[in-house]
Amino acid sequence: MADPPPGIEGEAVAALLAASGALVGLATRSLAGTGPEITLSQLRTLVVLAVRGPQRAAEIAAELGVAPSAGTRMCDRLAAKGLLRRDRSTDDRRVVRLRLSAAGAALVDEVFRRRREALSRIVADTAGHWCPEAVAALTAFAVAAGETPERQWCHGRPAARERAPRQRAGHGSTGAQASTA
C-alpha cells in the first residue's frame, strides 16, 4: 500500500474526530424511545452479549475495560430492566453466565435498525463524496479498532447470541473485541 500524502494524518484525525462526534450523537439519538432507558455504556454491554454470547460479568467488564464491580453493577441494572438474564452453570453452580433476554435482543436490533436508517439518510445526502477508497478506509479503520461487523452478529442471527465465547490468545475467553455502540 502506498504511503499517504504528507500531512494527511492530521487531516484524517481531525475528520475522524468530527465524524466520531456525529456518530456518538447519532448513537445517543438511536436510543431515544426504544423502551427501557439505557445509557450508551449499557448498550455496549448488550452488544458484547450479542456479539460474544453468554459471558460472566467479569468477562464483560474486561471487554468494556471497566472494573469488575462496575461491570457487575451495570449487569444488575440491565437484569432489573429485563434486558439480560442470568444462567447458572449446571457443572459449577458458582459460575453464572449472562445472556441477552428476548427484550434485550429486540432492543439491540431496534437501536441498530435506527442507526442504519439514520446513516443511510446521511450517506444519501453525501453521496457525491463516497467512493470505494473511502469505504475501504473506514472498513480498515473499524477493523484496526477491533470492531466486529454488524452483519456478523445481527439481523436475526440468534446463534451469535447463544454461542459459547471464543478463546483469544492471552485474553481469556472474551473473544475478539466487541462492536461498540
Side-chain angles (χ1 to χ4, degrees), residues 25 35 49 59 69 85 88 95-96 112 118 120 126 130 140 145 148 163:
L49 291 170
E59 294 168 330
S69 60
R85 67 176 209 240
R88 212 167 270 289
V95 176
V96 176
F112 276 85
S120 293
T126 59
W130 292 97
T148 300
R163 73 175 180 267

Side-chain angles (χ1 to χ4, degrees), residues 26-57:
L26 189 144
T28 302
R29 289 188 299 278
S30 71
L31 286 171
T34 56
E37 285 195 28
I38 64 168
T39 65
L40 283 176
S41 294
Q42 290 171 334
L43 177 62
R44 286 184 66 214
T45 300
L46 296 176
V47 170
V48 166
L49 291 170
V51 171
R52 302 286 156 244
Q55 300 280 301
R56 294 180 318 194

Side-chain angles (χ1 to χ4, degrees), residues 6-105:
I8 194 72
E9 289 89 357
E11 291 177 29
V13 168
L16 287 168
L17 282 170
S20 70
L23 290 169
V24 167
L26 189 144
T28 302
R29 289 188 299 278
S30 71
L31 286 171
T34 56
E37 285 195 28
I38 64 168
T39 65
L40 283 176
S41 294
Q42 290 171 334
L43 177 62
R44 286 184 66 214
T45 300
L46 296 176
V47 170
V48 166
L49 291 170
V51 171
R52 302 286 156 244
Q55 300 280 301
R56 294 180 318 194
E59 294 168 330
I60 293 170
E63 189 77 28
L64 298 175
V66 299
S69 60
T72 298
R73 284 191 305 275
M74 190 169 329
C75 291
D76 289 344
R77 287 185 206 104
L78 291 168
K81 293 176 183 189
L83 299 174
L84 60 82
R85 67 176 209 240
R86 291 179 170 91
D87 292 331
R88 212 167 270 289
S89 170
T90 56
D91 296 334
D92 183 346
R93 302 285 299 160
R94 296 170 296 176
V95 176
V96 176
R97 292 216 179 270
L98 303 161
R99 72 175 60 234
L100 284 180
S101 66

